[in-house]
Structures are given as C-alpha cells and as structure tokens.
C-alpha cells in the first residue's frame, strides 16, 4: 500500500483545525463564537452512534464468551480497578493543590459574589440525585428511552442483559449474534465516515472557546489552570505510567497510538467524542471484545480520573481563596465525598462543574459562592479533564484485559512499535477503520 500523504492524515487535519480555531478566536472573536454549531454538530453526530455501538459491541462480546462467570469476573475487576485508580487521582490532586497553593492570596469574599452567574449550576446541583437515585437511574424506564437519551449506563445495562440471554441460549442464538456482529461492523464504518469531520468539529469548538472566553480570564487565575495541568500530567505519567509498565506496554508509544483521539478531545473538550473510535482501536490492539465492550462504556461514568483530579483541586482552591483553613480530617472528608460524587459526572463538557456544585453544597465548610471564581477558566481546564479521562479509560481497558488474561500483549507491542500484526486475524472492517485505508 502506498504511503499516506501527511496532509490526508486525520492527526494532521485535526491539528490544523485546532490551530485555525485558535487564530480565528484571537483575530475575530465575535465571528469565532458563531462557529460553535460546527463543534456541537460534530459531537452530536458521534453521540448519535454511541448507544448502538455500545449495544452491538457488548452483545456480541458477551454472547461469544464461554461462560456466565466470565461476565461477572470482568465486571468485578473493573470496579476494583476504578475505585483504586480514582482514589489515586484524588490523592494526586490533593497533593498538588496543597503544594502549589493556587488559591493563596486571592482574598475572595463570598458575601460579595454575584450568585446569579452560577444560579443555573447550583439549581441543577440541588436536583442532583443521591447515591440511591443514581443507582436506580441506571435502570431505564423503557428500552427505547435509554437509546433515545443516549444514556451510556442504561444502554450498557440492557446490552449486558441481552448478551447474557444470547449466551444462555447457546447455538440457537448464533444467527442473531452474527447479524448483530455485522451491524457492529457497519456502525464502525459509519463512525469512520463521521470522524472525517473531526477537523471541522475541532475548529468550531476551539474557535468558540477562544472567542468566547479569550485569555483575559487565564491571566487572573493562571496559577489554578497551571496547577490542574500539572496534576493531570503527574497522574498520567506517574500513576498511569506505572500501571502501563506493570501491564507490560510502553505508555509513550500507547499515547502516540491514540494521538488522533487525544487531539480530537483537545479540540472538542469532550472525551465522549471519541468513545466509538477508542473501542475499535483497543480491540484492534489486542484487547478482547468483551473487555472493551464492558470496561470502556462503564469507565465513562465510573472512571473519570481527570474529573476526580479537577474536583479535588477546585474545591481546595476555593477554600484557599476564601481563607478557609481545612483540617486534615476535613480534607479526607471531602476526598471521601468526591469518591462518590465524581462517579455521577458524565464525560461531556460542563458536567464536572455541576457535580462540583453538588459536592460543595453537601460540604458547608467551603462556600458554594466560590464557584464564581471558576466560571471564566473552567472551559480551559475541561481539556485537561477530558484528555485525562480518555487516557485513563484506555489504560484501564489494557490493564483489566491483561489482568483477565484477555490481552494479546505480543500483538499490542508489535502494533505500538509500528509493525504489522500478522499472527492474529482481525476483521477486515476493523483494520480498514483503524488504519484509515
């Protein structure tokens, strides 16, 4: 096959889209803001495909498993991993904000804050569900409703039930499983078509961000933005780097492998925009389909490492800015609270801010009014959150697959080294989609 021209590479195209969006945001802010529909439209196109992709991947993966106990084993291991790594993310966020003290000297007075600017967030937070309601919310009112809303957890629950039913039916379900598998291949072809629009989506989203918020807000709260990025980098290269090493693959090579997805997330500030593509690339890399189908969708609600880092730092930043001295017990208390509330944050732009509002409302020692400090820069930190969420879920899938003996590590190493995977047959549609042929 002839070598692909650099300008036809999606990585290069997305990078150009982001750069043009930044330039337009600086040169013509008012016109840049009008580009928002391009970014929103691209994200909607991808979200349109998420529910059916999750459904077909999970159903086929489970139906092709050997025994029922395999499903429960993967799910249990995923939960253990998610909780352990989320705690690590929270701890790193706490350590960085304690050392860097980005809120020190701000001198924020809650009594003078304009609460109208955060009214929408606090109102949503007051309606936020508790732990019991969150669990019940995973159960859809109707099957159609779950797909219509695109609720990943509800779709995942239904998909697991259907997959288990087909598994129990044995050979009688073979024809239906084959049909669902073909539908899954067709959906990934559609995803490949939609992803060609990623440069336009990244351009529109980035132009809107720079045009709407500018860099003025970054000047006043640059210490906080820098601290969040430092914490996320520490988590990725120290925390996830150690997990990657224990799993048996090189993190830097892995990041290069998912580089296009990272760039798309930079442009759109939503890790959900690459969920279907991430699932395809992990399966192509050597992770078993059942692991990919269960871990990736669940991770988008239960393994939001970047959101965990951000919420810890944002809460303690507000405390520092408001001159609220928290005891060690109070700091551990808010970590425990965040272990629960961070699980309810969706992987889309802005949801972390609402979840933070709900957390502060349940922790009176830190004034909710402090959210007004974050409004101007939250959008700039959402990229760090989304990228960390993406990488965290990708590494989680690799680690859990290795833990379960469902990772072809030799194949993964060859692909990460840029060599062809010759010893394992992969569906032609997967090769075409991942390699862009």
């Amino acid at each position: 096959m002839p070598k692909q021209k650099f300008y036809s590479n999606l990585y290069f195209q997305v990078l150009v889209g982001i750069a043009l969006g930044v330039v337009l945001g600086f040169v013509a802010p008012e016109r840049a803001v009008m580009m928002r529909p391009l970014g929103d439209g691209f994200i909607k196109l991808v979200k349109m495909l998420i529910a059916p992709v999750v459904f077909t991947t999970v159903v086929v993966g489970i139906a092709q498993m050997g025994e029922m106990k395999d499903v429960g084993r993967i799910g249990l291991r995923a939960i253990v991993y998610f909780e352990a790594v989320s705690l690590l993310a929270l701890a790193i966020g706490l350590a960085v904000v304690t050392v860097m003290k980005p809120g020190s000297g701000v001198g924020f007075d809650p009594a003078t804050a304009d609460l109208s600017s955060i009214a929408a967030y606090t109102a949503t937070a007051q309606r936020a569900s508790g732990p019991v309601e969150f669990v019940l919310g995973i159960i859809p009112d109707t099957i159609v409703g779950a797909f219509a809303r695109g609720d990943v957890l509800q779709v995942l629950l239904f998909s697991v039930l259907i997959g288990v039913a087909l598994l129990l039916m044995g050979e009688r379900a073979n024809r239906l499983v084959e049909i669902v598998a073909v539908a899954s291949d067709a959906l990934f072809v559609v995803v490949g078509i939609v992803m060609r629009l990623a440069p336009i989506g990244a351009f529109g989203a980035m132009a809107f961000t720079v045009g709407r918020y500018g860099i003025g807000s970054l000047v006043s709260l640059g210490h906080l933005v820098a601290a969040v990025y430092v914490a996320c980098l520490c988590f990725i290269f120290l925390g996830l780097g150690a997990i990657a090493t224990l799993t048996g693959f090189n993190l830097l090579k892995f990041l290069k492998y998912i580089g296009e997805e990272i760039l798309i997330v930079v442009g759109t500030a939503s890790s959900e925009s690459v969920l279907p593509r991430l699932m395809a690339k992990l399966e192509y890399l050597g992770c078993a389909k059942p692991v990919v189908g269960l871990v990736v969708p669940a991770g988008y609600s239960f393994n939001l490492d970047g959101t965990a880092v951000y919420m810890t730092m944002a809460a303690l930043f507000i405390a520092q800015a408001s001159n609220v001295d928290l005891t060690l017990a109070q700091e551990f208390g808010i970590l425990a609270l965040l272990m629960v509330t961070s699980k309810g944050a969706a992987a889309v732009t802005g949801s972390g801010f609402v979840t933070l509002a709900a957390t502060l409302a349940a922790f009176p020692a830190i004034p909710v009014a402090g959210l007004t400090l974050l409004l101007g820069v939250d959008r700039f930190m959402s990229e760090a959150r989304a990228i960390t969420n993406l990488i965290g879920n990708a590494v989680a899938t690799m680690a859990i697959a290795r833990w379960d003996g469902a990772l072809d590590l030799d194949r993964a190493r060859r692909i990460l080294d840029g060599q062809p995977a010759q010893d394992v047959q992969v569906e032609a549609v997967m090769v075409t989609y991942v390699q862009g042929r």
Side-chain angles (χ1 to χ4, degrees), residues 108 110 113-115 117-119 121-123 125-126 318-319 322 353-354 356-374:
F108 173 71
D114 179 15
L115 299 181
S117 59
I118 60 170
Y121 298 103
T122 54
Q126 289 172 357
I318 293 173
S322 305
F353 203 81
V354 175
L356 179 60
T359 303
L360 295 183
F363 198 83
I366 302 177
V368 179
L371 290 172
T372 56
L373 289 171
L374 305 177

Side-chain angles (χ1 to χ4, degrees), residues 103-380:
S104 180
V106 174
F108 173 71
D109 183 3
T112 62
D114 179 15
L115 299 181
S116 62
S117 59
I118 60 170
Y121 298 103
T122 54
T124 303
Q126 289 172 357
R127 296 192 300 269
S129 303
V132 175
E133 288 77 11
F134 174 69
V135 173
L136 291 177
I138 298 175
I139 306 173
D141 294 328
T142 64
I143 296 171
V144 176
F147 282 86
R149 289 190 298 273
D151 191 307
V152 175
L153 283 181
Q154 292 185 354
V155 172
L156 179 61
L157 174 63
F158 176 68
S159 304
V160 169
L161 293 175
I162 293 294
V164 168
L166 296 180
L167 176 62
L168 294 176
M169 289 175 65
E171 293 183 0
R172 288 188 300 157
N174 286 348
R175 291 183 63 185
L176 180 56
V177 173
E178 291 176 1
I179 292 173
V180 177
V182 172
S184 178
D185 290 344
L187 283 168
F188 277 114
V189 172
V190 175
V191 171
I193 295 171
V194 170
M195 293 311 294
R196 302 313 302 179
L197 299 175
I200 298 175
F203 163 75
M206 186 58 69
F208 167 77
T209 299
V210 177
R212 170 67 176 80
Y213 299 103
I215 61 171
S217 55
L218 283 176
V219 174
S220 59
L221 292 178
H223 290 300
L224 173 61
V225 176
V228 169
Y229 275 83
V230 167
C232 288
L233 289 173
C234 287
F235 174 77
I236 291 171
F237 289 104
L238 298 180
L240 297 182
I243 293 172
T245 300
L246 291 173
T247 302
F249 66 95
N250 184 285
L251 180 65
L252 293 179
K253 293 179 180 178
F254 184 71
L255 295 181
K256 181 181 178 181
Y257 177 71
I258 60 171
E260 291 177 352
E261 288 70 37
I262 292 174
L263 270 183
I264 293 170
V265 170
V266 169
T268 61
S270 171
S271 58
E272 217 171 31
S273 62
V274 295
L275 188 152
R277 186 178 175 89
L278 180 65
M279 294 175 70
K281 296 191 80 168
L282 289 171
E283 186 180 338
Y284 177 74
L285 194 59
C287 295
K289 183 185 286 286
V291 177
V292 173
L294 288 172
V295 175
V296 176
Y300 267 64
S301 282
F302 293 102
N303 189 43
L304 300 179
D305 303 321
T307 302
V309 169
Y310 165 77
M311 291 205 298
T312 305
M313 300 189 69
L316 294 184
F317 166 79
I318 293 173
Q320 293 172 357
S322 305
N323 297 318
V324 175
D325 293 323
L326 299 176
T327 64
L328 189 60
Q330 287 177 313
E331 290 183 350
F332 283 130
I334 196 166
L335 283 185
L337 182 60
L338 287 169
M339 277 290 289
V340 177
T341 56
S342 63
K343 303 303 180 189
V348 294
T349 307
S351 59
F353 203 81
V354 175
T355 307
L356 179 60
T359 303
L360 295 183
F363 198 83
I366 302 177
V368 179
L371 290 172
T372 56
L373 289 171
L374 305 177
L375 276 178
V377 294
D378 180 74
R379 186 60 177 74
F380 290 100

